[in-house]
Amino acid sequence: MNTINVALFCLIFIPISLLQIALPYLTRRTISFGITISEEVWNSTPVADMRKRYALLSTAFCLILGIAFGVAAIQMNGNTLGIAIAGFAIVLLIGTFALHLYFYGKMKALKASLPAAPAPGKTALSLDTSFRKQRLVMSGKWYLIHLAVIIACAVFALAQYDRIPEQIPMHYDLNGNVDRMEDKSIRLLLLPNLLQLFMTGLLLFINFIIYKSKQQLNPADPQESSRTNAAFRRRWSVFNFAMSLLLVMLFFFMQLTMIYSIDPKWIFPVALAVPILIIAGSIWLSFSTGQSGTRLARKSGAGGNPTAVPVDDDRHWKLGGSTYYNPNDPSLFIEKRVGIGWTVNFARPLAWVFVLAPFVIIALLLVFTS
């Protein structure tokens, strides 16, 4: 592997591995390996040991897989490396998910062995009626900045159309060299602007999901849980805004490479800088905030009852707690039970529209550029 291949491999391998290894430490403290428990149980020795065993086993798995891939990749060229990295990432995700399923079974058995589980009618559901009166996310009006930048980029590109060569670069290899050219056209020239619009729309929609997702408070300490959950949403909303602006600028850089003859040695570093910033930011935010703000510092003196058990809805979470399906829940968006972020209630038909829409839009973009 040359230096660029090593950098690309590390960019994929390290973030995925870190997040997968730390998974049980980042979830809410009323959930362990996809199973509902009290915060008191989450802090107990058997459950803490279970988290440590998962972390050790997943670390060993990631290291073995990473070393095996690194040795194999030495023989690969630039064409096969991209496919191999994608395959490596899939194997890593499948392997760690299988490990999660193993501990999900162990946690389920442990929960069944616990004494005096509260009757369903005596579990606690906490609500903060003033929750949505707070400023939970950035206003959608901030995304007008993106729209103004996108329009400016498109106008600039069209103004340069006559000076653009008849053939424009459409793809670069890992060394920054052009490996595919196309006849110039307004359709191809404006492709980066369409991608800017797509990514901005997608991330604006995620901002909407962050605001609308179901309120889930920890009954062991509902007041502090409400505060940290609001902070969790605000942090990710601000990050979402910054990430979308970076992507808009990245696509503008792509457009500049069509217009100007940019030195190839700058292509790869600039194209890599934005993903590195986004990945580093998402890792920092995941570790510093945790799912639902569970890793944020609690205010001293805050009360709470650590033995309080949240409503047990385990039966509505399928595939080891990774998929939510509850026809009786009107909520469309909900926080993930495993990992950081949000998911949908797959029992709501509209959820499938939101899940499939990005794929339809991507297919339309491919048709547009073919």
Side-chain angles (χ1 to χ4, degrees), residues 266-284:
W266 294 109
I267 302 289
F268 191 76
V270 173
L272 201 58
V274 170
I276 287 176
L277 283 173
I278 291 174
I279 292 172
S282 62
I283 290 177
W284 174 79

Side-chain angles (χ1 to χ4, degrees), residues 128 130-137 211 226-227 230 234:
D128 180 357
S130 63
F131 185 67
R132 297 195 186 279
K133 294 178 182 176
Q134 308 173 60
R135 185 176 292 279
L136 296 174
V137 298
Y211 174 75
S226 177
R227 184 187 70 81
R234 282 194 292 271

